[in-house]
Amino acid sequence: MTLKEIAREAGVSISTVSRVINNTDSKVASPEVKERIWEVVRRTGYVPNPAAKGLKLGQTGSKTRSHSLFCLFARTPNAPDDPFFSSLARSVEIEAFKQDYILKSSFTSFDITKAETCRMILDTDVSGGVILGRCDKPTLKFLKQHFHYVVYTGLNGIDANFDQILCDGYGASTCAMEYLIGLGHRHIGYLGETSIENRYQGYLDCLEKHQLPFDSSYVAPVPFSSNGGYQGARKLLEQQPGLTAIFCGNDITAIGAMRGIKDHGLKIPRDISVISIDDIDTAQYLSPMLTTVHIPVDAMGSTAAKTLIDRIDGGHTLPMKIYLPFHIAKRESCGAPRS
């Protein structure tokens, strides 16, 4: 496969393909065109010629071989369809490609439990892998047994001797809660996962810090998904009509919650405020636009790839933890509580 053939399949110019896969100009193509190009690259297994690349850049001593990596979507069986995790994987792929590595395969922790896919995973010739999102102990054990180079990235730290690229989910959740409380909200619900989840712990600790009573009927333990958000919001509003705000563990859950609130006959933010975490691209195109805590997903993915490749190449040996910052993106879905 050549750049010319990729360009023909994607329906774009050769120069556009070159700029996209080498990440030389972020504005060279629309997200849809970039997705089309990367789909062809993944499907065909295209690998750049590092020697030729070095000559073009006037370099000598360039690497003469390429490596391949895998991504593990650890959080849910549908994680590849989650915008946050798909963006995270894309950032890993782009950074790896810049360093003459390719993302050869992706799988979920549920694939490991199936004999037919587990054997395929183990037979895949890869140099190392990136865990996207917190995974359970059996999955961590599997990775330790079968893969020498692994890096983790997510919002919850894990108990493993791996390099970890983190954005503090606990801090992000307290940031969201402090914002709501600062607006005057005292009756705040929580939507999302609760088991060993630092976003939920941040919610609880913030209530305690401000001496706001905890009420289990203000909490809907649901999966981080749009359907979970929808069902959870309807449940909360039925059992606690006095709620003035809902904190959702991520944007996908918030999108479902906003639909549930509207179907309940309420206005956002006049009747109830909504805030979440992630800041996926869709958040700013909702009506009203979603207030959320921005997670630097592109930096998380690229830093994970850089750290993994550095370890593979012998650049460091001790496990590292790298924390990346977050900030609140104030938009339209939050306001003062109704009187």
Side-chain angles (χ1 to χ4, degrees):
M1 177 62 67
T2 65
L3 291 182
K4 183 177 181 180
E5 291 169 325
I6 294 174
R8 184 167 60 244
E9 283 209 36
V12 297
S13 67
I14 297 175
S15 63
T16 297
V17 173
S18 177
R19 289 174 183 171
V20 168
I21 65 177
N22 289 303
N23 200 31
T24 57
D25 185 351
S26 61
K27 298 180 180 180
V28 70
S30 67
E32 293 76 15
V33 169
K34 290 179 181 178
E35 172 61 31
R36 201 157 67 238
I37 292 171
W38 282 108
E39 189 280 326
V40 176
V41 169
R42 285 193 298 272
R43 174 164 46 81
T44 60
Y46 171 76
V47 179
N49 184 329
K53 184 178 178 181
L55 287 172
K56 184 177 180 181
L57 297 175
Q59 300 170 346
T60 58
S62 298
K63 288 188 288 186
T64 57
R65 61 190 179 91
S66 294
H67 295 288
S68 58
L69 309 175
F70 70 84
C71 276
L72 168 66
F73 290 89
R75 193 82 200 212
T76 70
N78 298 319
D81 298 324
D82 184 297
F84 178 82
F85 287 109
S86 60
S87 295
L88 198 54
R90 174 60 48 78
S91 300
V92 170
E93 180 177 31
I94 291 173
E95 181 59 39
F97 205 85
K98 286 164 61 178
Q99 300 194 43
D100 301 323
Y101 281 69
I102 61 169
L103 185 61
K104 191 171 185 178
S105 60
S106 297
F107 54 93
T108 74
S109 55
F110 291 84
D111 293 326
I112 297 171
T113 64
K114 303 174 184 177
E116 64 275 17
T117 53
C118 183
R119 175 45 52 193
M120 181 183 68
I121 291 167
L122 294 177
D123 287 343
T124 301
D125 180 23
V126 292
S127 302
V130 182
I131 307 171
L132 308 177
R134 190 186 68 226
C135 54
D136 55 26
K137 290 183 179 179
T139 303
L140 288 176
K141 183 178 179 181
F142 173 87
L143 294 170
K144 288 178 181 178
Q145 287 177 336
H146 299 289
F147 299 100
H148 191 55
Y149 302 112
V150 177
V151 64
Y152 162 82
T153 184
L155 303 187
N156 292 269
I158 58 173
D159 184 18
N161 215 24
F162 296 147
D163 292 322
Q164 299 187 40
I165 312 303
L166 305 167
C167 188
D168 183 16
Y170 178 87
S173 70
T174 59
C175 175
M177 287 292 291
E178 291 287 355
Y179 182 65
L180 290 176
I181 293 170
L183 289 173
H185 292 281
R186 297 295 180 268
H187 303 283
I188 305 169
Y190 173 84
L191 277 179
E193 298 178 14
T194 58
S195 178
I196 321 176
E197 174 52 61
N198 61 13
R199 279 166 275 191
Y200 178 57
Q201 190 61 49
Y203 165 80
L204 295 176
D205 290 351
C206 219
L207 291 179
E208 182 178 3
K209 173 185 173 183
H210 291 273
Q211 299 181 326
L212 299 176
F214 169 74
D215 190 329
S216 60
S217 64
Y218 280 23
V219 176
V222 296
F224 286 142
S225 67
S226 55
N227 183 59
Y230 181 85
Q231 300 298 337
R234 297 300 299 268
K235 178 181 178 181
L236 286 183
L237 293 172
E238 287 170 4
Q239 63 191 23
Q240 277 296 347
L243 283 178
T244 63
I246 296 179
F247 166 45
C248 301
N250 70 356
D251 289 351
I252 288 297
T253 305
I255 290 172
M258 291 173 73
R259 174 64 185 272
I261 291 167
K262 292 176 182 178
D263 285 356
H264 201 75
L266 300 177
K267 299 288 187 180
I268 303 170
R270 187 191 70 187
D271 299 314
I272 193 159
S273 292
V274 178
I275 195 169
S276 61
I277 294 174
D278 279 351
D279 196 17
I280 61 175
D281 188 56
T282 308
Q284 60 187 310
Y285 297 106
L286 298 173
S287 181
M289 293 186 289
L290 178 62
T291 295
T292 180
V293 180
H294 175 82
I295 304 299
V297 60
D298 288 342
M300 288 173 69
S302 62
T303 304
K306 289 176 183 176
T307 303
L308 176 61
I309 293 170
D310 183 70
R311 178 173 284 279
I312 292 170
D313 291 344
H316 71 283
T317 56
L318 295 176
M320 299 193 303
K321 280 189 178 181
I322 300 174
Y323 287 89
L324 299 180
F326 55 81
H327 68 267
I328 192 165
K330 300 177 183 179
R331 299 196 180 103
E332 300 172 341
S333 65
C334 289
R338 62 185 182 273
S339 57

